[in-house]
């Protein structure tokens, strides 16, 4: 079965990278050496990988700590890239 691959663009730098539908965005970004996020916890608890989704959709597979993503931020498109996969 073929996996869908998405092209993701970081708005602030213009960098692009590919991410499979079954891959967390942070993992794909680090594998492609894109962006400036340093290793965090990879579990949704540290908040280091917080970004704002400008367009597109994601699937949230892991819970995001309310300490790092408030309900208001979530409603405004903020997410933790270690917890979501592209759709």
């Amino acid at each position: 079965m073929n996996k869908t691959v998405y092209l993701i663009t970081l708005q602030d730098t213009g960098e692009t990278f590919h991410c499979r539908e079954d891959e967390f965005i942070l993992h794909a970004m680090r594998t492609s050496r894109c962006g400036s996020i340093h290793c965090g916890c990879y579990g949704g608890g540290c908040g280091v990988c917080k970004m704002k989704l400008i367009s597109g959709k994601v699937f949230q597979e892991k819970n995001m700590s309310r300490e790092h993503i408030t309900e208001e931020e979530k409603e405004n498109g903020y997410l933790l890239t270690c917890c979501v996969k592209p759709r």
Side-chain angles (χ1 to χ4, degrees), residues 5-65:
V5 177
Y6 296 89
L7 179 64
I8 297 177
T9 303
L10 299 179
Q11 186 178 18
D12 58 341
T13 64
E15 293 174 282
T16 61
F17 61 96
H18 291 93
C19 185
R20 295 184 322 271
E21 66 183 335
D22 64 342
E23 184 176 27
F24 289 104
I25 293 173
L26 179 60
H27 181 264
M29 188 164 52
R30 293 199 41 83
T31 301
S32 68
R33 300 178 194 268
C34 187
S36 61
I37 293 177
H38 300 286
C39 282
C41 67
Y42 286 89
C46 74
V48 172
C49 65
K50 181 194 281 190
M51 290 190 163
K52 183 173 184 176
L53 179 67
I54 303 298
S55 66
K57 295 182 180 182
V58 295
F59 171 72
Q60 181 181 330
E61 187 162 302
K62 296 179 187 177
N63 290 329
M64 292 185 269
S65 168

Side-chain angles (χ1 to χ4, degrees), residues 64-78:
M64 292 185 269
S65 168
R66 288 291 166 232
E67 182 179 334
H68 303 294
I69 299 288
T70 65
E71 194 58 41
E72 182 179 350
E73 286 176 319
K74 187 175 177 181
E75 289 172 10
N76 288 310
Y78 286 92

